[in-house]
Amino acid sequence: MGGIVTEAPDIDNIQRNIERARQNYADAMNALRNLAPSTVKLETVIEAADEFGSEHALRLLKENHTRFGWSSSLDSSTADRLDEALATLMERTQRLDELFAERENFLCAADPTRLRRYCIDARECVIDPISNTVTFMDDPKRAYRLQEVKTEDSVVLDAHRDQRRLGDRQDPDRENEPKF
């Protein structure tokens, strides 16, 4: 067949890499926990770093150290260590995401009925679009309902759709046109 050679993926090797990446993630998470006092809302610091970058999260923390529960302003040494720890955690989160995507691309192609698995906080999960739930594989009996997220873009898009529907009802010449 035209000299095309496709190799079967080494799923076992990918899974071993996922397990190593999970351990690396746990190590980075522990390093971050060791830097932050117990009063710090670490999940919000991580969320800010994940969404906007570690530099942005650190800048927010420097601007208002109480924003995330830090009791005093950061000295430059702690800020540098925190920046490095956050950046490391973000890199390791990205690596886990890449490995999961690589594995799932092969497994979902082999079985189109398979629900794609994702990685959230180093935990494997499936998102079921029919039931609108996320289930973590380490706690499969418990499913969490997904909450609708309204972004500025989605609000504008919804308003445009509503306007278009209203316009369609008011124009009798358009009643035979296809509606998308």
Side-chain angles (χ1 to χ4, degrees):
M1 276 208 39
I4 297 175
V5 178
T6 58
E7 291 184 30
D10 186 354
I11 298 298
D12 291 335
N13 189 44
I14 295 170
Q15 190 60 44
R16 278 190 297 275
N17 287 334
I18 287 172
E19 294 310 318
R20 276 188 226 114
R22 271 195 179 122
Q23 184 57 55
N24 290 340
Y25 173 93
D27 292 345
M29 194 66 183
N30 287 332
L32 192 55
R33 282 188 187 114
N34 289 335
L35 281 173
S38 61
T39 58
V40 173
K41 299 172 194 152
L42 207 46
E43 65 279 351
T44 56
V45 175
I46 293 168
E47 187 177 304
D50 190 34
E51 191 69 28
F52 303 108
S54 57
E55 304 84 19
H56 178 78
L58 195 59
R59 188 172 28 100
L60 291 175
L61 191 54
K62 286 178 179 178
E63 287 172 2
N64 180 1
H65 64 273
T66 62
R67 167 183 248 138
F68 298 115
W70 217 280
S71 59
S72 61
S73 39
L74 295 177
D75 60 66
S76 62
S77 173
T78 302
D80 289 346
R81 291 194 324 264
L82 184 60
D83 186 35
E84 184 179 325
L86 278 171
T88 299
L89 183 66
M90 294 303 102
E91 288 169 10
R92 292 180 180 181
T93 298
Q94 182 176 351
R95 180 65 180 143
L96 265 171
D97 290 345
E98 290 166 355
L99 288 166
F100 267 83
E102 181 181 0
R103 184 191 70 190
E104 292 304 303
N105 287 343
F106 290 121
L107 294 177
C108 289
D111 177 7
T113 64
R114 176 186 171 88
L115 286 176
R116 182 174 284 273
R117 295 181 182 188
Y118 299 92
C119 184
I120 299 175
D121 296 333
R123 294 176 68 194
E124 189 166 342
C125 65
V126 293
I127 297 173
D128 185 342
I130 305 299
S131 64
N132 201 31
T133 57
V134 62
T135 303
F136 289 95
M137 303 314 293
D138 59 3
D139 188 9
K141 293 181 191 232
R142 186 174 190 183
Y144 299 88
R145 174 117 359 245
L146 294 172
Q147 300 297 315
E148 184 178 349
V149 175
K150 286 285 189 184
T151 64
E152 187 176 328
D153 291 341
S154 69
V155 170
V156 169
L157 184 60
D158 288 346
H160 286 296
R161 284 185 187 138
D162 291 343
Q163 283 292 357
R164 193 170 34 213
R165 283 188 211 122
L166 182 61
D168 288 347
R169 279 186 249 133
Q170 293 174 347
D171 187 353
D173 294 332
R174 299 181 78 185
E175 68 184 47
N176 291 330
E177 288 183 17
K179 308 241 184 321
F180 299 98

